[in-house]
């Protein structure tokens, strides 16, 4: 069972670091709490949905911002708003923070600022995706080793 | 879901198993929301499309207890959905958004949301949302009950208010519900008066209502006290309590109309041309809405955004009220006690009388009176469009008179609503539109309409621009308006110069009204078809409203009023008034009424009213 303990400790540490670094916030913990026997893959499911959604929205924003004729900031703003909503729902704090800044650039109709934010959002999203994938892998390993996922408060 | 139903079914387990409909275009949020809600042990249905949600709600209004919706959605604005739901189904709606701007929250509240949650939503917040369902039920129950007696409801309400203690609350509620149920059963259906006295239910027939209105007018709306009204009416077996509760509803109705009237005025113009589309108002319960007037102001406010809360359209779904439903609930149709500025009141009463006159009840039924939109849904009979149950029972308008009012209110509202929102703007209505703009605001319109309304106000021109957007939504309202107008027109027939709409033909018969109603219902679909449905009704086609009015005049054809009005929307909305001063036939009157009420411009309305076109309606005479 040492393996399990080790894995669990790793999981806890990793989780804590993600929280510390602002990748995840309390909302993510809430999500984890929602996971139970009836929905054992709940967190993974939500996260996957989020990633898909995120990619779609980022593409929308990119397309809208690339318009040479004239950027439809309302459209960009709508996408950013949605991303803000979903990222806050999943607990992706850093992504959400970028969205907040992004929105003010949209309101100011600042194309440069928006493009910068778009870059940032893309960056944060990739980072988060990697980190969560690592976390999920750890979870799977724990379960495979017969252990249970520790709840990180 | 009626209160009784909820009470009886969910008594033991509520809030467990409460049926929630969750709408959010973001899949992540939707999944999360659904999971959280299931964790609270609610019965959850999710959809990412607002249109799908509306469809589901319309299919069976009683299928859900509560709706949670995101604000930003691609296919339909959350506020519009909110308005629709409020108008048609009178269900509590909770808004959800990542944006917590005060302005947005305010917008949500004015549109009738009973709560506004911020994303990310937490389970603790969702655990108490059932309180909104209970609160609404109580409110409906209280509203439908007699005012005089302290309702056990209030007791319950108080009990329920304590949301912390769920268990206790449930139990208390249960007990109280049981008591009330007993009383209710004994007392009869719609009158949920929990008072111990089991008074025989009073059916506010057209005649009765007419007398009532006449008495009120005689006394003056401000001085009209139940006792004096009762004396003036001199009807056997009518108690002061009956009169009191009827008066309350009437006052609300008037208030609603006045708000709507302003908007409607605008819309009316637009409506004039609208085809039956607006009649479609789909769920127009017509009467039902009316009741809701009395009941909820939420919707009302929301709908009108700009209007004062006196709201007409609020969620009129007071169970009792729905007269249209076929429940003859005495109070139901009560035209809402809309307190319009002096003039309107009278007018309204006049209008009211019109409707009642239609024994066609169908008409009333048909008339979802925008107000009643919600109700329509309930009333299968109402059939909204086309279905207007031809049953003679006035069920539709419990108090036929009420219907009238409802119509009127609705009408004005619709008009405005429908009109503004879309094409309603009647072509010709420009004249009217200007005056009535305010009316349109009436909440009827589904959220869309409302928005449109505001825009319509500017001028009939706008009306003409059928706003495509609102159309869809507006239609429902329009329909009502149309219907209302239609029904009203009959009465008004009066001097409409325009008589263009004389689709009359059978207008007098309930058909017109029905048509209107139906149309309103149909309006939803935006197809003008709604009105068409009523063809047999009398041409009241979308314009039904207008027609009724015109019908009188022209007797000739049933052409349903030239839906010159907006037809795009299918609303019957009033036909464009030729001069704006007159309500083009029926619609005009409504519009006028509305505008008059709102703006205190009695010209049209008073003219209308005075002219009375309606044969049977006391309105005319009283005017």
């Amino acid at each position: 069972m040492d393996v399990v303990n080790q894995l669990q400790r790793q999981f806890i540490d990793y989780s804590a670091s993600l929280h510390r670094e602002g990748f995840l916030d309390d909302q993510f913990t809430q999500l984890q709490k929602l996971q139970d026997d009836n929905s054992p893959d709940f967190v993974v499911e939500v996260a996957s949905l989020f990633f898909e959604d995120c990619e779609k929205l980022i593409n929308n924003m990119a397309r809208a911002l690339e318009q040479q004729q004239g950027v439809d900031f309302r459209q960009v703003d709508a996408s950013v708003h949605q991303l803000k909503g979903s990222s806050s729902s999943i607990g992706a704090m850093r992504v959400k923070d970028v969205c907040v800044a992004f929105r003010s650039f949209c309101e100011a109709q600042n194309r440069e600022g928006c493009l910068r934010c778009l870059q940032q959002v893309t960056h944060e999203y990739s980072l988060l995706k990697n980190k969560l994938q690592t976390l999920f892998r750890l979870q799977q390993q724990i379960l495979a080793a017969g252990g249970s996922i520790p709840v990180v408060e | 879901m009626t209160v009784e139903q909820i009470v009886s079914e969910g008594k033991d387990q509520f809030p467990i198993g409460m049926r929630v409909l969750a709408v959010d275009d973001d899949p992540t949020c939707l999944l999360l929301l659904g999971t959280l809600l299931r964790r609270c042990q609610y019965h959850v249905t999710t959809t990412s499309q607002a249109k799908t949600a509306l469809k589901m709600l319309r299919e069976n209004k009683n299928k859900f207890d509560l709706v949670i919706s995101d604000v930003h959605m691609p296919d339909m604005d959350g506020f519009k959905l909110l308005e629709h739901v409020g108008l048609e189904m009178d269900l509590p709606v909770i808004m959800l958004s990542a944006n917590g701007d005060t302005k947005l929250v305010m917008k949500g509240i004015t549109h009738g949301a009973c709560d506004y949650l911020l994303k990310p939503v937490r389970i603790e917040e969702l655990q108490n949302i059932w309180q909104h369902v209970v609160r609404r039920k109580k409110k409906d129950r209280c509203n439908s009950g007699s005012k005089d007696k302290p309702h056990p409801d209030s007791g319950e309400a108080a009990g329920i208010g304590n949301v912390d203690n769920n268990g206790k609350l449930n139990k208390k509620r249960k007990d109280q519900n049981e008591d009330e149920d007993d009383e209710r059963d004994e007392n009869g259906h719609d009158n949920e008066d929990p008072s111990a006295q089991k008074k025989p239910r009073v059916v506010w027939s057209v005649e009765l209502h007419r007398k009532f209105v006449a008495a009120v007018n005689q006394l003056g709306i401000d001085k009209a006290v139940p006792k004096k009204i009762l004396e003036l009416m001199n009807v056997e077996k009518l108690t002061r309590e009956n009169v009191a509760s009827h008066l309350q509803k009437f006052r609300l109705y008037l208030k609603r109309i006045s708000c709507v009237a302003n908007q409607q005025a605008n819309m009316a113009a637009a409506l004039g041309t609208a085809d039956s589309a607006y009649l479609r108002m789909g769920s127009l319960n017509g009467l039902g809405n009316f009741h809701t007037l009395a009941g909820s102001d939420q919707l009302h406010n929301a709908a009108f955004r700009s209007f004062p809360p006196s709201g007409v359209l609020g969620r009129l779904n007071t169970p009792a009220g729905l007269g249209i439903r076929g429940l003859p609930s005495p109070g139901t149709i009560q035209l809402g006690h809309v307190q319009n500025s002096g003039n309107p009141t009278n007018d309204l009463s006049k209008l009211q009388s019109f409707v009642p006159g239609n024994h066609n009840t169908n008409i009333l039924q048909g008339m979802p009176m925008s107000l009643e939109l919600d109700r329509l849904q309930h009333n299968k009979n109402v059939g909204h469009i086309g279905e207007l149950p031809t049953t003679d029972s006035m069920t539709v308008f419990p108090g036929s008179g009420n219907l009238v009012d409802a119509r009127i209110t609705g009408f004005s509202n619709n008009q405005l609503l429908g009109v503004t929102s879309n094409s309603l703007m009647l072509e010709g209505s420009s004249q009217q539109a200007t005056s009535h703009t305010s009316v349109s605001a009436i909440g009827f319109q589904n959220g869309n309409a409302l928005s449109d309304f505001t825009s319509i106000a500017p001028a009939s021109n706008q009306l003409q621009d059928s706003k495509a957007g609102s159309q869809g939504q507006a239609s429902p309202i329009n329909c009502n308006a149309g219907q209302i107008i239609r029904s009203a027109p009959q009465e008004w027939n009066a001097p409409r110069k325009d008589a263009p709409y004389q689709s009359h033909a059978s207008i007098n018969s309930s058909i017109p009204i029905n048509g209107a109603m139906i149309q309103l219902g149909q309006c939803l679909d935006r197809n003008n078809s709604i009105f068409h449905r009523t063809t047999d009704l009398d041409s009241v086609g979308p314009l039904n409203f207008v027609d009724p009015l015109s019908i009188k005049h022209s007797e000739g054809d049933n052409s349903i009023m030239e839906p010159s009005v907006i037809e795009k929307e299918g609303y019957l909305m009033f036909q464009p008034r030729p001069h704006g001063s007159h309500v083009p036939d029926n619609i005009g009157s409504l519009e006028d009424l509305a505008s008059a009420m709102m703006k205190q411009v009695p010209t049209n309305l008073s003219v209308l009213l005075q002219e009375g076109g309606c044969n049977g309606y006391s309105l005319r005479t009283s005017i």
Side-chain angles (χ1 to χ4, degrees), chain B residues 498-517:
Chain B
D498 328 311
Y501 310 109
Q502 324 253 330
S503 37
H504 42 272
S506 34
I507 303 214
N508 296 310
S509 50
S510 47
I511 305 188
I513 306 234
N514 294 333
M517 303 254 302

Side-chain angles (χ1 to χ4, degrees), chain B residues 353-405:
Chain B
S353 14
F354 286 130
V355 175
N358 291 322
H359 358 281
N360 301 316
T361 39
N362 294 332
I363 302 189
L364 288 180
Q365 300 180 337
M367 298 224 327
M369 305 235 278
S370 50
L371 305 176
E372 324 281 353
L373 288 179
D374 309 326
R375 285 324 197 149
L376 278 185
Q377 300 229 336
H378 296 302
N379 297 332
K380 309 206 182 168
N381 305 334
V382 179
H384 312 309
I385 310 190
E387 298 177 2
L388 297 178
T390 42
T391 56
D392 50 33
S393 50
M394 300 241 330
T395 52
V396 166
F397 299 106
S400 46
N402 296 335
L403 281 181
V404 177
D405 291 337

Side-chain angles (χ1 to χ4, degrees), chain B residues 121-137:
Chain B
V121 67
R122 294 194 323 277
I123 197 166
E124 295 85 5
E125 294 172 321
L126 295 176
Q127 266 161 354
N128 284 336
I129 57 176
W130 59 267
Q131 63 178 284
H132 301 293
V133 176
V134 174
R135 197 175 295 130
R136 186 167 292 247
K137 278 194 276 183

Side-chain angles (χ1 to χ4, degrees), chain A residues 64-81:
Chain A
L65 284 169
E66 271 163 26
Q67 296 298 321
Q68 291 307 322
Q69 302 85 323
V71 177
D72 185 355
F73 283 101
R74 252 175 335 145
Q75 204 187 340
V76 181
D77 186 67
S79 297
V80 176
H81 176 82

Side-chain angles (χ1 to χ4, degrees), chain A residues 31 34 42 53 81 86 88-89, chain B residues 26 29 32 35-36 39 72 120:
Chain A
L31 281 189
L34 276 180
F42 177 65
D53 209 26
H81 176 82
S86 47
S88 62
S89 295
Chain B
D26 184 343
C29 295
L32 178 62
T35 308
L36 285 173
R39 198 49 63 88
H72 284 86

